[in-house]
Amino acid sequence: MFAQVRLLNGFHESLWYEVPHELKELTVGMIVSVPLRARVLPALIQKISSTRPNVSWQLRSIEGIEKVPEDVHYQKFINQLADYYQLSPLYFAQRLRSFLTQKEHEIELAVANSNLPEAKIVTLTDEQEYAVNQVTKKIDGQSYSPFLLHGLTGSGKTEVYKKALQHAINNKKSALVLLPEVSLAVQFTQLFRVAMPECTIFGFHSAVGIKEKRALWQALVQGAPLIIIGVHLPVMLPIKNLGIIVVDEEHEVGYQEKKHPRINSKEAALVRAQTACIPIILGSATPSISSLYAVQQKGWQLLELKNRYAGSLPRIEVVQFDKNKKRPNFWVSKELFNAITDRLLKKEQTILFLNRRGHSFFVQCTKCGEIERCTHCSVTLTLHDHEQLLCHYCGLKKQMPPACVGCGADKTSFLKKGIGTQQLVSVIQSLFPSAHIERADVDATVNKKKWQQTLKSFHDGAIDILIGTQTITKGYHFPKVTLVGVIWADLNLHFPMFNAAETTLQQLIQVAGRAGRASHDSLVIVQTMSEHPIFSFLNETDYIKFYETEMITRQEIEYPPYARFVEIELKHTDEAIVEREAQQLVQQLNAKSQSTSLAVRVLGPARPLVHKVNNLCSRKMYCKASTMLAIQRLFQSIDENSYQSSIYFTPHPLS
C-alpha cells in the first residue's frame, strides 16, 4: 500500500511513501511522520493507493502516526470548512501545527486578576433557569441545536454559560468557549477557574505559552473532558466527545480574522457544531442581523433574558452638536459637562467613549495644505503624545517635523484635525482639573502592569473618569459607573460597508451597557454631529425594532442575509498591475457567470479607502448570489496562475 502526503512545513509538492504493514490502517487526513533526507517531518495523508505510483526512485516508508486526539467528526469538519473558504485542508493542519510549536513569547494583556469577583453561589432567575434547561436537554440528546441567547447587558448570560458548561463536564463531555478578543479570553479563563475549580480549563490563544499549549494537546490526546477558551484557534482543535460550544458577544466583527484567509470563528463554530451534532449557544445583548434572521428562517431557538441581574437600564439622551450653540469645549456639550460635574460631586464614576486613539487624526499645514502621510500605506499619520506621528496599519513612527516638508513653513502653521483619546484626556483634564482621569485604549494597554493597576483602581473607585475606545465596550463590570458619554457617535456611520449602521448601533449599545449595572439611576449621553435613524434605537429594549427596520433595507438592496455575499481581493506591490488584473478578473467573472447561468452579480472592482498597506496595493470586488455554491463555482473558474496578483476569497466580509 502507498500514501501520497503533503508536508506540513509548506513544501508545495506532494510526495509518495510506502506504507509498512503495521500501519495498514492509515486513512486520508491522518498526520504521519515521514523521512526526508536526514530529517523526519510531519505530513498530511492526501491519498491512499494499492498501486505503486509511477516513479523511478525507491520509495521510503512512513515511520509512524503522529499522536493526534481522537475525533471521529474532525475530518468532515475540516473538509467542509476548507470548501467554504476555498482552501486546502492542509492549511488548517499547518496552522495548528505552527501554533503548537511556536516559540514562547509574552503578549501584554488588558486583564487584571484582582478585578475578578470571588466565587459565590448564584441563584438563577427564572429566565436563566429556563435557558439552562433548554440547552442541557440538547447536550444530553446529542443533536445540532443552535441557541441565540439574547440578553440585556448585565442580565447574567455568563451564568447560563457556566451552568451549561458544568453540565457538559459532569457528563464527561468537553466544551469550547469563544470570545472576540484575547483579553476577554484571558478574563473568562480566570473567571471560570474561580467559579468551577473542579473543571480542567485551558486557554488556547496568542497569549498562552508553549508549555500550556502542549499540556492542552496532551490532555486532548488522553481524551479527558476539558473546557477550552480562546478566540480563533480552539474551534480548529480535534476534540474527543465535544459536547457544547459557546460563542459570547456573537455579533462582534472581531471573530473574522484581519489577515487572509479571513476565517470567521463564529461561522466555523457553527459548522463544527453541525458536524459534531451538538448544541451551540450564541450570546449577545445586540445579536447580529444574520443570527436573528436564522431564528426566523432556520429554526434557531431564541432564549431571552429581558431583565438585568442587578441595577437598571440607563436613561439615554441624544445631543446633536449645534455650531452656534455655546459649549464648554468643542467636543463636550453643556449636557455632558453638567452630567460629569454631577457625578464628581456624588463620587460616582464616568466612562467617556471615543473610537479613535491618538491625539489628532492628522496634521495639516495651513499654508500649503500638505498632510503627513505614511510612506508604506495609503493613510495619514495619526498624531500621538510627544509629537509622535504613527501609522495605525504598519506601525511606522516618526517625530513631527520642525517645518512643513511641502513649503518649509515652521510647525506653528500645522493644524491638528480631529480628536483621539489622548487629546480627549487633555480636554477633560482642563475642564475638570481635580478629577482623576485615566485612558483605556490599545496604546494604554501596552504596559501590562500599569493597565492592570488602572483596571483595579477604576473598579475600586479611585479613578473618576475613564476615557477609552472599544477596549471598554464589553466584558467589564464596573458597579460605580452611572454615566457614559459617547463623544462622537456618528464617527463610523458613513463607512462604505453595508453593515455600518448595524455595527455602529451594536457598539453604542454595548458601551451604554457599562452604566447602571449596580444602580437604578444612570445616564448615557450620546453626542453626534448629524442625525441618523439608528439614534432612535439606542435603548436596548428597542434593538429588535432596529432589526425589523434594517431588514427592509437589506431586502431592497439584496444584501445579507437576503443574499450570499463574497469579497474577492487582489494584492500586488505594483499598483498598475493590480488595477489592470482587477479589471481583467471582473470581465472574466462576468463572462463566466453569463455563459454558465450561475446568476452571480459581480460588483467592482473598487479601490478600497485604505488601498495600500505595507507596500501592498489592493483592489476589491464583490459577488452576490442566492447561493454560496454559485459563487464558489465561479471563483473556482479563475486560473490563478495567469495572474501576478495574489487572489483572496472572503465569504461575508464584516469590515
Side-chain angles (χ1 to χ4, degrees):
M1 194 161 67
F2 305 89
Q4 186 183 46
V5 306
R6 282 285 297 274
L7 299 179
L8 297 189
N9 64 4
F11 185 66
H12 63 281
E13 293 183 12
S14 297
L15 303 173
W16 282 95
Y17 287 86
E18 187 171 355
V19 179
H21 180 73
E22 62 271 20
L23 299 179
K24 63 181 180 180
E25 301 301 325
L26 288 180
T27 59
V28 172
M30 281 187 173
I31 307 294
V32 293
S33 302
V34 298
L36 185 70
R37 297 188 176 92
R39 295 181 296 166
V40 176
L41 301 173
L44 178 74
I45 295 182
Q46 293 183 303
K47 184 178 180 180
I48 299 289
S49 175
S50 58
T51 305
R52 190 184 191 281
N54 186 22
V55 294
S56 58
W57 56 86
Q58 180 68 35
L59 293 178
R60 300 177 74 177
S61 294
I62 292 175
E63 293 200 356
I65 301 174
E66 293 250 326
K67 286 186 177 180
V68 176
E70 179 186 341
D71 186 340
V72 295
H73 305 289
Y74 188 70
Q75 199 56 49
K76 180 181 178 182
F77 160 66
I78 290 298
N79 289 340
Q80 288 190 12
L81 201 61
D83 181 64
Y84 183 68
Y85 286 98
Q86 295 296 287
L87 297 168
S88 165
L90 183 68
Y91 166 79
F92 299 99
Q94 289 173 330
R95 181 173 181 184
L96 195 56
R97 179 83 184 188
S98 66
F99 206 83
L100 286 165
T101 57
Q102 68 179 211
K103 292 182 179 179
E104 186 169 358
H105 60 283
E106 183 178 1
I107 295 180
E108 300 294 357
L109 294 171
V111 178
N113 293 334
S114 55
N115 195 29
L116 294 172
E118 295 182 0
K120 58 182 180 181
I121 298 174
V122 176
T123 302
L124 298 184
T125 65
D126 291 342
E127 291 177 329
Q128 291 172 321
E129 194 73 54
Y130 176 79
V132 170
N133 289 339
Q134 294 301 303
V135 174
T136 53
K137 283 191 295 187
K138 297 299 182 180
I139 294 175
D140 297 338
Q142 294 183 315
S143 61
Y144 172 57
S145 306
F147 292 94
L148 179 60
L149 181 60
H150 182 192
L152 298 179
T153 53
S155 61
K157 293 184 290 294
T158 304
E159 295 303 323
V160 175
Y161 302 155
K162 288 193 289 190
K163 293 295 183 181
L165 295 171
Q166 186 74 65
H167 185 85
I169 295 295
N170 291 345
N171 286 272
K172 309 300 181 185
K173 296 178 180 180
S174 289
L176 288 177
V177 180
L178 300 185
L179 287 305
E181 295 176 3
V182 171
S183 61
L184 287 176
V186 176
Q187 185 183 359
F188 264 65
T189 302
Q190 296 170 340
L191 181 68
F192 285 179
R193 282 174 177 167
V194 171
M196 297 180 283
E198 71 282 4
C199 297
T200 304
I201 301 173
F202 283 95
F204 188 57
H205 43 72
S206 58
V208 173
I210 191 64
K211 291 180 181 178
E212 185 172 346
K213 290 172 190 169
R214 289 174 179 167
L216 166 60
W217 189 256
Q218 186 59 40
L220 289 170
V221 170
Q222 293 171 353
L226 313 168
I227 297 174
I228 306 166
I229 303 173
V231 182
H232 298 300
L233 281 164
V235 75
M236 308 293 179
L237 288 166
I239 303 170
K240 182 180 180 180
N241 204 21
L242 183 61
I244 187 172
I245 301 175
V246 172
V247 182
D248 190 38
E249 307 289 2
E250 67 86 29
H251 66 279
E252 278 288 332
V253 298
Y255 281 117
Q256 187 165 76
E257 299 188 60
K258 292 179 174 62
K259 294 182 179 179
H260 291 290
R262 299 181 63 201
I263 294 169
N264 186 313
S265 301
K266 182 183 78 172
E267 291 186 341
L270 285 164
V271 175
R272 185 70 183 269
Q274 189 171 31
T275 54
C277 296
I278 60 173
I280 177 172
I281 307 175
L282 300 106
S284 176
T286 54
S288 62
I289 295 290
S290 60
S291 293
L292 287 169
Y293 181 78
V295 170
Q296 289 185 338
Q297 301 294 326
K298 298 181 181 179
W300 289 18
Q301 184 172 345
L302 178 64
L303 302 173
E304 295 183 285
L305 304 179
K306 298 181 178 181
N307 299 287
R308 277 196 162 182
Y309 200 79
S312 300
L313 290 175
R315 292 180 292 113
I316 309 290
E317 183 177 347
V318 179
V319 177
Q320 186 175 347
F321 280 137
D322 184 341
K323 292 180 180 178
N324 300 318
K325 188 176 181 181
K326 291 184 178 181
R327 48 186 183 267
N329 179 274
F330 180 84
W331 298 106
V332 180
S333 64
K334 189 193 314 183
E335 291 85 350
L336 181 58
F337 178 85
N338 291 338
I340 295 174
T341 301
D342 178 64
R343 265 55 188 184
L344 290 173
L345 290 173
K346 293 178 179 178
K347 304 298 182 182
E348 296 172 353
Q349 291 177 302
T350 298
I351 286 177
L352 298 180
F353 172 71
L354 174 64
N355 203 26
R356 279 289 186 277
R357 59 191 175 104
H359 186 277
S360 302
F361 290 178
F362 58 90
V363 175
Q364 185 174 30
C365 175
T366 57
K367 303 293 185 183
C368 69
E370 179 71 22
I371 297 175
E372 287 286 338
R373 301 179 185 275
C374 179
T375 54
H376 308 298
C377 309
S378 59
V379 295
T380 58
L381 295 175
T382 300
L383 178 64
H384 284 246
D385 286 344
H386 312 297
E387 294 196 332
Q388 187 176 75
L389 296 169
L390 175 65
C391 175
H392 289 173
Y393 286 84
C394 72
L396 173 72
K397 293 180 181 179
K398 60 182 290 189
Q399 286 299 120
M400 191 161 65
C404 174
V405 296
C407 67
D410 65 53
K411 65 180 183 180
T412 58
S413 66
F414 291 167
L415 181 65
K416 301 167 184 177
K417 293 194 172 183
I419 188 171
T421 48
Q422 291 180 355
Q423 184 183 350
L424 185 59
V425 169
S426 300
V427 168
I428 299 301
Q429 194 72 74
S430 67
L431 294 175
F432 304 99
S434 62
H436 185 179
I437 302 167
E438 291 291 346
R439 199 174 85 245
D441 55 22
V442 172
D443 302 313
T445 60
V446 169
N447 186 322
K448 180 180 178 181
K449 291 182 179 179
K450 183 179 178 181
W451 173 242
Q452 288 181 345
Q453 184 56 49
T454 298
L455 279 180
K456 184 179 186 303
S457 297
F458 193 62
H459 187 270
D460 294 344
I463 296 171
D464 300 309
I465 303 170
L466 186 65
I467 296 173
T469 58
Q470 58 188 354
T471 302
I472 55 173
T473 63
K474 51 192 171 291
Y476 295 111
H477 176 77
F478 300 118
K480 298 179 183 179
V481 171
T482 60
L483 173 65
V484 168
V486 180
I487 300 302
W488 192 352
D490 52 330
L491 181 60
N492 296 332
L493 265 177
H494 308 293
F495 280 10
M497 281 297 292
F498 73 91
N499 61 342
E502 177 186 358
T503 56
T504 299
L505 181 60
Q506 288 166 343
Q507 194 173 71
L508 293 176
I509 289 177
Q510 291 288 339
V511 71
R514 300 313 103 192
R517 297 173 78 94
S519 168
H520 295 286
D521 182 22
S522 59
L523 175 65
V524 177
I525 294 179
V526 179
Q527 299 181 153
T528 172
M529 298 287 187
S530 59
E531 294 182 357
H532 195 281
I534 71 163
F535 297 132
S536 61
F537 304 110
L538 288 172
N539 193 305
E540 287 189 52
T541 56
D542 293 329
Y543 186 75
I544 297 300
K545 294 179 183 177
F546 163 75
Y547 164 76
E548 294 167 350
T549 302
E550 181 72 3
M551 289 295 280
I552 295 172
T553 304
R554 299 275 182 99
Q555 188 171 25
E556 288 176 350
I557 58 179
E558 294 183 345
Y559 273 114
Y562 289 105
R564 295 292 192 170
F565 192 62
V566 167
E567 176 187 276
I568 298 176
E569 183 172 12
L570 277 69
K571 289 190 175 185
H572 197 279
T573 53
D574 189 317
E575 186 150 15
I577 290 176
V578 78
E579 173 65 26
R580 182 182 69 251
E581 292 191 339
Q583 297 288 346
Q584 174 187 333
L585 182 55
V586 165
Q587 293 174 8
Q588 176 189 339
L589 293 177
N590 275 321
K592 186 70 175 179
S593 176
Q594 293 170 9
S595 65
T596 55
S597 301
L598 286 173
V600 178
R601 185 180 177 191
V602 182
L603 308 173
R607 190 173 81 163
L609 286 177
V610 182
H611 58 273
K612 185 172 77 170
V613 176
N614 266 331
N615 297 315
L616 271 179
C617 303
S618 66
R619 294 293 185 273
K620 293 182 179 182
M621 59 203 70
Y622 297 90
C623 297
K624 289 201 298 183
S626 59
T627 67
M628 183 61 72
L629 181 60
I631 301 176
Q632 289 172 336
R633 286 182 176 174
L634 186 62
F635 182 78
Q636 290 163 4
S637 71
I638 301 172
D639 180 9
E640 295 191 39
N641 293 325
S642 64
Y643 290 86
Q644 297 178 60
S645 302
S646 300
I647 303 176
Y648 301 98
F649 180 90
T650 304
H652 296 153
L654 298 177
S655 61

